């Protein structure tokens, strides 16, 4: 039996798509991926999601979204899609747990993942002082000195969060100015536990059993420096999780999926929502909005499918 719609990914985009398709009586199936809740579930402080004047943690927010979608009948599988076949209809999907699914439509909400530094010591010391998630690991750095790498919203937001535990938080940034929102910059500059290390990139991460120091290079002078820290939190951006769709869907050079204004990919019935295609806004509320749009378009696609059948494809794959 073919599913009406399979949603791939459980970040704000996927969870919102699940809510809307469930309320449209489409009986959606959401395959969550290995990280339930997506990136927002990595953060402890969400102050800019409407409806929560006191703020909310990322895990709480995504759990509430899930409950709301479940209330209207959305189904969840905690599995990871490992293969897709979009060249035939119904579309076929396979998962890491060995499940096979057919679907009349698919909403891709696979989002993005944090970028690694790619320096010596990073992989060896991951989980032993190197982290990509302040919410998960901040607690372990009580009274310690740590470095946060990056200069955007995530770096400052998580750096500020880490001052709750750490003795000192060094924000290491490759430029002499930050990209983060002014309000975050102001808070970070006013925080006595935060120091900035400007114009610097990480050369390597040193330590025997756990992180002991960072090797830094000043990009202006070329000079080297050592920074004694027991933790390194990396917030230098992220890349879209779209490898799975290479060769089947159009994407830009960075791998972001290409969609039209109705979030349809080049294949009718395959929609994309959130950071799998959005390389501009990168906010939970925006991804949630895209999830809503993709769900509404899926509903229209399925209604047309019922009345007219699957649209014929031109040689370039466009309807
Ligand atoms: C540390 C941090 C703090 C942030 N703080 C804020 C904030 O305060 N406010 C704000 O608005 N935004 C914040 N953001 C940004 C926000 O988290 C993202 O914009 C949002 O999560 C993107 O949602 P998404 O649904 O598009 O994708 P994601 O959240 O990236 O979710 C993608 C989902 O797809 C799943 N997936 C991937 N591949 C597969 C596969 N093959 N099969 C099945 N599932 C798959 C993943 O497991 C995940 O569940 C923050 C981001 C980070 C990293």
């Amino acid at each position: 039996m073919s599913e009406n719609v399979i949603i791939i990914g459980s970040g704000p985009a996927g969870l919102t798509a699940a809510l809307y398709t469930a309320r449209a009586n489409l009986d959606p199936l959401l395959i969550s991926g290995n990280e339930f809740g997506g990136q927002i579930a990595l953060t402890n402080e969400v102050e800019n999601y409407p409806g929560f004047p006191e703020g909310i943690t990322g895990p709480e927010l995504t759990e509430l979204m899930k409950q709301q979608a479940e209330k209207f009948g959305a189904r969840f599988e905690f599995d990871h899609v490992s293969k897709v076949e979009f060249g035939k209809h119904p579309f076929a999907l396979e998962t890491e747990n060995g499940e096979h699914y057919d679907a009349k439509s698919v909403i891709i909400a696979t989002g993005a993942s944090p970028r690694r530094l790619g320096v010596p010591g990073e992989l060896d010391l991951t989980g032993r002082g190197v982290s990509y998630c302040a919410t998960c690991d901040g607690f372990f750095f009580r009274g310690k000195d740590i470095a946060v790498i990056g200069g955007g919203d995530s770096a400052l937001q998580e750096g500020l969060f880490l001052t709750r535990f750490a003795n000192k938080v060094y924000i290491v940034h490759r430029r002499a100015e930050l990209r983060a929102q002014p309000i975050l910059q102001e808070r970070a500059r006013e925080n006595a536990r935060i120091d900035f290390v400007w114009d610097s990139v990480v050369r390597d991460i040193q330590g025997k059993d756990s992180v002991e120091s960072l090797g830094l290079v000043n990009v202006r002078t070329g000079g080297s420096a050592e920074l004694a820290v027991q933790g390194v939190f990396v917030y230098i951006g992220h890349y879209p999780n779209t490898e799975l769709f290479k060769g089947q869907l159009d994407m830009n050079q960075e791998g972001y999926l290409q969609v039209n204004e109705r979030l349809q990919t080049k294949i009718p019935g395959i929609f994309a929502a959130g950071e799998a295609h959005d390389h501009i806004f990168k906010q939970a509320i925006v991804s949630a909005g895209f999830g809503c749009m993709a769900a509404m378009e899926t509903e229209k696609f399925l209604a047309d499918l019922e009345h007219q059948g699957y649209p014929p494809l031109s040689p370039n794959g466009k309807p």
Side-chain angles (χ1 to χ4, degrees):
M1 190 200 81
S2 274
E3 298 285 346
N4 286 325
V5 52
I6 291 185
I7 299 159
I8 313 177
S10 58
L15 292 169
T16 306
L19 170 65
Y20 273 74
T21 48
R23 288 194 79 248
N25 274 339
L26 295 177
D27 188 28
L29 173 68
L30 183 148
I31 302 177
S32 69
N34 296 330
E35 287 161 5
F36 180 81
Q39 296 168 76
I40 198 75
L42 297 177
T43 190
N44 205 41
E45 294 255 31
V46 186
E47 290 183 331
N48 53 9
Y49 199 89
F52 300 95
E54 304 305 323
I56 186 165
T57 72
E60 277 170 342
L61 178 62
T62 49
E63 181 54 32
L64 287 173
M65 288 177 163
K66 174 174 177 273
Q67 285 174 19
Q68 195 174 354
E70 272 178 332
K71 181 176 151 190
F72 296 103
R75 293 165 297 139
F76 288 78
E77 282 297 333
F78 295 90
D79 202 348
H80 198 81
V81 177
S82 52
K83 192 175 169 200
V84 294
E85 266 186 78
F86 291 159
K88 60 177 187 181
H89 194 264
F91 310 115
L93 289 83
E94 284 179 28
T95 69
E96 281 181 357
N97 289 348
E99 298 294 334
H100 293 251
Y101 297 97
D102 284 339
K104 294 176 195 161
S105 65
V106 173
I107 298 176
I108 298 171
T110 48
S113 292
R115 221 171 262 291
R116 292 180 189 272
L117 290 167
V119 298
E122 183 182 18
L123 281 183
D124 289 347
L125 293 168
T126 293
R128 292 188 289 146
V130 177
S131 172
Y132 304 85
C133 176
T135 309
C136 320
D137 300 330
F139 185 79
F140 302 117
F141 293 85
R142 203 169 278 275
K144 305 259 167 61
D145 291 343
I146 59 179
V148 170
I149 318 300
D153 283 355
S154 296
L156 289 209
Q157 203 170 28
E158 300 312 304
L160 283 160
F161 171 69
L162 288 165
T163 60
R164 295 184 193 180
F165 309 101
N167 172 55
K168 180 61 79 184
V169 175
Y170 297 98
I171 309 263
V172 178
H173 187 40
R174 62 189 163 147
R175 299 204 180 87
E177 58 194 41
L178 301 161
R179 278 177 291 116
Q181 297 170 38
I183 188 168
L184 289 175
Q185 294 196 30
E186 200 181 303
R187 282 185 205 165
R189 287 181 209 276
E190 282 170 0
N191 193 310
R193 291 195 182 199
I194 291 185
D195 276 353
F196 290 92
V197 182
W198 301 113
D199 294 321
S200 297
V201 293
V202 180
R203 182 195 60 216
D204 55 12
I205 303 173
Q206 297 148 13
K208 198 162 168 269
D209 299 320
S210 60
V211 171
E212 290 165 20
S213 65
L214 280 185
L216 300 176
V217 175
N218 186 299
V219 292
R220 281 188 194 272
T221 64
S224 297
E226 303 292 313
L227 184 65
V229 287
Q230 294 84 56
V232 187
F233 286 79
V234 182
Y235 287 103
I236 53 166
H238 41 303
Y239 58 88
N241 297 316
T242 55
E243 188 71 25
L244 187 61
F245 313 110
K246 266 200 179 139
Q248 301 196 55
L249 298 177
D250 289 343
M251 44 188 85
N252 74 7
Q253 270 189 332
E254 291 169 277
Y256 288 94
L257 293 173
Q258 291 187 338
V259 291
N260 65 17
E261 71 281 7
R262 292 179 172 270
L263 303 189
Q264 189 186 278
T265 64
K266 74 173 185 182
I267 300 181
I270 309 280
F271 299 88
E275 287 191 21
H277 73 88
D278 166 33
H279 54 98
I280 299 173
F281 299 106
K282 297 178 190 292
Q283 287 293 290
I285 185 68
V286 177
S287 278
F290 281 129
C292 160
M293 288 157 69
M296 291 172 78
E297 288 301 317
T298 300
E299 198 269 325
K300 277 190 212 137
F301 169 81
L302 289 170
D304 288 349
L305 185 70
E306 201 177 314
H307 292 105
Q308 296 155 23
Y310 193 73
L313 289 180
S314 68
N316 69 6
K318 296 210 164 89

